[in-house]
Amino acid sequence: MTNVVDFIRQTVDRDHVYDFMMPQQNPMLEVGQGFLLYLEGISVSFDGFKAINDLNLYIKEGELRCIIGPNGAGKTTMMDIITGKTRPDTGQAWFGQKINLLEMDEPEIAQAGIGRKFQKPTVFELQSVFCNLELAMAGDKGVMPTLLARLTPSQVDRIDHVLQLIGLVGQRNLPAGALSHGQKQWLEIGMLLMQSPKLLLVDEPVAGMTHQEMDRTGELLTNLAGEHTIILVEHDMDFVRSIASEVTVLHQGSVLAEGTMQQVQSNPKVVEVYLGAEA
Ligand SMILES: Nc1ncnc2c1ncn2[C@@H]1O[C@H](COP(=O)(O)OP(=O)(O)OP(=O)(O)O)[C@@H](O)[C@H]1O
């Protein structure tokens, strides 16, 4: 595949610059003084079992919010509702003040500026790190049109900027398959960034990482917060502590507690249902 792509790139005129290669900010996204994400009274049942039960969650622009909770608390289901994969039975879900997430399907929600990173990295192993970012910049416009399109200097700068953010400048031309597990996770975060999402949903990024990789992931996420808003679902409490951000504890589909890690880990209800001996 790599050879074919290289051959096509060398033989085809890549002078055409396609507009679709530049991500656009959704003009509907108005945050004002309010919340970037507003979930209220959300409930969803599966076969009579309430996986999400009258959930309220308010996320401010630029926040890095950690969502913790025991297995089955509803963390994944909550993310599925935000991204349009699961439709709730009741409640409201707004992105900014004007975008009603419950009236949109998954591609529309992604297009509106919500990116999701699943636990397992899914990068194009045979393509270079640079090429993975290039493909991600074009979204779902197709591999071939993207590879045949010529990059403008500002697009190359954007990719180089993301390479710096994710700490993979030295691996720019390596096939993604040659990266370590942690590096693949950073590349996938970089691929999300190429779409310029306002809100990033990140699911357990540090599972399987070395301590050093975990530290760098913490730095990456804290650096991204501010310009981006991040919701991080995480089971690793040491990692959550190291990030020192606002924490929401989910239990039985509802918010059990919110606050700093120090506040929630001294909350007796949280200790009882989740942290237990670990706190
Ligand atoms: N499609 C589905 N059909 C039936 N039950 C479901 C479905 N999706 C989730 N559930 C149930 O809803 C509850 C919440 O699941 P969810 O995966 O959201 O929890 P979680 O907090 O992400 O758990 P974990 O930390 O183990 O990933 C669980 O009891 C789960 O079995």
Side-chain angles (χ1 to χ4, degrees):
M1 174 69 174
T2 314
N3 290 343
V4 175
V5 169
D6 285 346
F7 174 76
I8 294 172
R9 297 183 110 162
Q10 281 155 20
T11 51
V12 174
D13 175 18
R14 299 182 80 216
D15 279 347
H16 192 85
V17 176
Y18 294 81
D19 286 344
F20 71 72
M21 295 293 280
M22 287 313 276
Q24 314 278 323
Q25 169 82 50
N26 188 323
M28 285 281 285
L29 186 57
E30 275 181 29
V31 180
Q33 299 302 308
F35 298 102
L36 181 73
L37 183 74
Y38 176 100
L39 303 183
E40 195 156 275
I42 298 271
S43 295
V44 67
S45 298
F46 300 113
D47 303 323
F49 171 76
K50 269 205 167 172
I52 296 287
N53 186 8
D54 197 18
L55 174 73
N56 301 322
L57 186 77
Y58 313 102
I59 307 285
K60 289 197 213 91
E61 192 173 23
E63 251 195 81
L64 167 51
R65 179 74 65 93
C66 294
I67 310 287
I68 64 173
N71 292 333
K75 303 180 295 294
T76 306
T77 308
M78 184 195 80
M79 302 277 245
D80 289 347
I81 289 169
I82 297 169
T83 55
K85 190 171 169 205
T86 296
R87 203 57 86 191
D89 303 325
T90 57
Q92 298 184 50
W94 292 88
F95 184 43
Q97 293 175 335
K98 291 190 174 169
I99 300 177
N100 183 352
L101 295 175
L102 301 188
E103 289 179 348
M104 299 159 80
D105 61 20
E106 280 186 271
E108 286 168 340
I109 290 173
Q111 192 72 32
I114 299 182
R116 182 173 188 178
K117 187 198 160 331
F118 290 91
Q119 192 177 343
K120 198 168 170 285
T122 48
V123 297
F124 299 102
E125 302 253 333
L126 295 176
Q127 298 295 322
S128 70
V129 168
F130 184 93
C131 192
N132 268 271
L133 295 174
E134 182 183 350
L135 286 167
M137 180 161 57
D140 57 2
K141 302 298 187 300
V143 172
M144 273 308 155
T146 304
L147 293 174
L148 297 178
R150 182 177 182 233
L151 290 175
T152 62
S154 73
Q155 288 171 332
V156 175
D157 285 350
R158 242 170 71 69
I159 296 178
D160 282 334
H161 174 65
V162 169
L163 279 169
Q164 260 175 5
L165 278 175
I166 60 177
L168 294 181
V169 173
Q171 289 73 23
R172 193 179 194 270
N173 299 316
L174 282 185
L179 300 178
S180 71
H181 170 71
Q183 289 172 325
K184 282 182 191 165
Q185 296 284 35
W186 302 331
L187 174 57
E188 212 187 6
I189 291 173
M191 289 167 75
L192 272 184
L193 293 176
M194 293 310 299
Q195 295 275 314
S196 299
K198 285 294 286 182
L199 176 62
L200 275 157
L201 309 179
V202 187
D203 197 359
E204 291 194 60
V206 298
M209 281 191 183
T210 63
H211 277 293
Q212 202 185 8
E213 286 176 333
M214 275 171 64
D215 290 345
R216 288 188 62 182
T217 306
E219 277 168 33
L220 171 60
L221 294 175
T222 39
N223 286 342
L224 293 177
E227 190 176 337
H228 302 270
T229 305
I230 302 171
I231 299 180
L232 172 71
V233 167
E234 191 50 73
H235 275 291
D236 190 311
M237 290 306 115
D238 288 336
F239 182 62
V240 175
R241 270 183 211 106
S242 75
I243 290 180
S245 70
E246 187 84 358
V247 175
T248 295
V249 186
L250 283 196
H251 177 55
Q252 296 179 343
S254 309
V255 173
L256 181 70
E258 264 175 350
T260 62
M261 188 61 190
Q262 210 179 3
Q263 286 167 338
V264 300
Q265 73 184 10
S266 57
N267 180 323
K269 284 186 295 184
V270 178
V271 174
E272 185 190 332
V273 305
Y274 185 43
L275 295 174
E278 208 190 332

